[in-house]
């Protein structure tokens, strides 16, 4: 007895195909996060500097373990914020205060990219949630966003301390430490920064 496909299968197949196209388009866009070197390190003459994705990955690990220490913090949300916070750099690149782009223009460029990503993924693949997470990070007012703002700086000074210990930079990395002094929003941020600075003073580039 022959069987025929239900006409109901067609929309489902079309949706799966459309979702697959959107997913691969998005993932292809994010490839540049793996290949684009962080601007601050390039400008400081660091040999073989980390990529944007390198920074985002370790920051995600930081978000996970930092959030474990406080039951009032949403661990899953922290990890999502870490994965999303620099997502716009897949298209606009790593814009720093030394690039000659105003904060307002930087925000507009990154918001435009995030809106494109939102449209690309659609609600089915989390496009709406992704842009809301990005805006939450940018605003920096929720408990999780405040922590992530600190961890963004923590990852930077930890990397700077490691580059110094390795002798990887042609120029001084002092600016990365002075630019974060007194700007911590959380106790975790202050404590972790103090530990990194202590290790820097001792010339310790290795974990205990």
């Amino acid at each position: 007895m022959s069987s025929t496909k239900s006409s109901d299968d067609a929309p489902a197949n079309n949706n799966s195909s459309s979702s697959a196209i959107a997913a691969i388009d998005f993932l292809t866009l994010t490839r540049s996060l793996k290949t684009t070197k962080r601007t601050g390190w390039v400008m400081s003459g660091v040999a073989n500097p980390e990529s944007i994705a390198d920074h985002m990955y370790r920051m995600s690990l930081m978000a996970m373990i930092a959030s474990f220490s406080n039951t009032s913090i949403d661990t899953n949300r922290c990890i999502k914020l870490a994965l999303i916070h620099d997502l716009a750099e897949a298209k606009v690149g790593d814009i720093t205060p030394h690039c000659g782009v105003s904060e307002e223009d930087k925000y507009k460029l990154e918001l435009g990219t995030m809106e494109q990503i939102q449209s690309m993924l659609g609600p089915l693949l989390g496009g709406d949630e992704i842009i809301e997470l990005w805006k939450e990070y940018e605003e920096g007012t929720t408990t999780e966003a405040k922590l992530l703002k600190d961890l963004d700086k923590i990852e930077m000074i930890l990397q700077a301390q490691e580059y110094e210990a390795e002798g990887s930079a042609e120029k001084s990395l002092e600016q990365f430490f002075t630019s974060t002094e007194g700007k911590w929003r959380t106790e975790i941020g202050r404590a972790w920064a103090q530990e990194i600075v202590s290790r820097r003073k001792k010339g310790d580039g290795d974990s205990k």
Side-chain angles (χ1 to χ4, degrees):
M1 183 176 179
S2 63
S3 62
T4 58
K5 290 185 178 180
S6 168
S7 60
D8 292 340
D9 290 341
N13 290 336
N14 288 338
N15 287 339
S16 295
S17 178
S18 297
S19 294
I21 291 170
I24 300 306
D25 283 346
F26 168 71
L27 295 172
T28 299
L29 172 67
T30 62
R31 176 182 182 272
S32 62
L33 296 171
K34 297 170 62 177
T35 58
T36 304
K37 305 301 182 182
R38 296 254 284 168
T39 302
W41 308 131
V42 174
M43 294 178 71
S44 298
V46 172
N48 191 30
E50 67 170 349
S51 69
I52 298 169
D54 290 332
H55 163 70
M56 293 169 72
Y57 177 71
R58 183 156 67 171
M59 192 172 152
S60 299
L61 292 177
M62 289 178 169
M64 181 176 68
I65 64 172
S67 63
F68 284 162
S69 66
N70 188 331
T71 56
S72 68
I73 297 176
D74 186 333
T75 298
N76 288 337
R77 193 163 195 83
C78 286
I79 295 171
K80 287 180 178 181
L81 287 169
L83 290 169
I84 297 303
H85 84 286
D86 279 343
L87 185 56
E89 295 182 12
K91 186 169 183 181
V92 304
D94 182 20
I95 301 172
T96 76
H98 303 288
C99 293
V101 179
S102 69
E103 283 294 314
E104 181 181 1
D105 286 343
K106 178 178 181 288
Y107 180 81
K108 288 179 179 177
L109 287 169
E110 293 183 346
L111 175 60
T113 296
M114 294 307 297
E115 288 174 341
Q116 291 175 23
I117 289 173
Q118 178 189 21
S119 177
M120 178 187 294
L121 293 174
L124 187 63
L125 294 179
D128 295 345
E129 181 181 2
I130 284 173
I131 194 169
E132 289 307 314
L133 286 165
W134 180 81
K135 288 178 179 178
E136 178 182 343
Y137 176 82
E138 287 294 307
E139 291 166 2
T141 56
T142 66
T143 300
E144 288 78 11
K146 288 176 183 178
L147 174 61
L148 267 292
K149 286 285 187 178
D150 273 6
L151 295 182
D152 188 35
K153 296 181 179 68
I154 288 291
E155 207 289 321
M156 179 182 72
I157 65 170
L158 177 57
Q159 186 63 74
Q161 183 250 337
E162 291 166 344
Y163 284 147
E164 285 183 337
E166 296 167 357
S168 299
E170 295 176 358
K171 302 177 183 179
S172 170
L173 301 181
E174 180 65 27
Q175 62 172 310
F176 295 97
F177 296 93
T178 57
S179 67
T180 62
E181 289 178 356
K183 295 183 178 179
W184 307 110
R185 305 183 183 198
T186 66
E187 183 55 40
I188 290 174
R190 285 186 286 273
W192 288 20
Q194 184 177 7
E195 175 62 21
I196 293 168
V197 170
S198 174
R199 292 187 181 205
R200 184 189 185 213
K201 289 179 179 177
K202 292 187 294 186
D204 184 4
D206 298 322
S207 61
K208 297 291 187 260

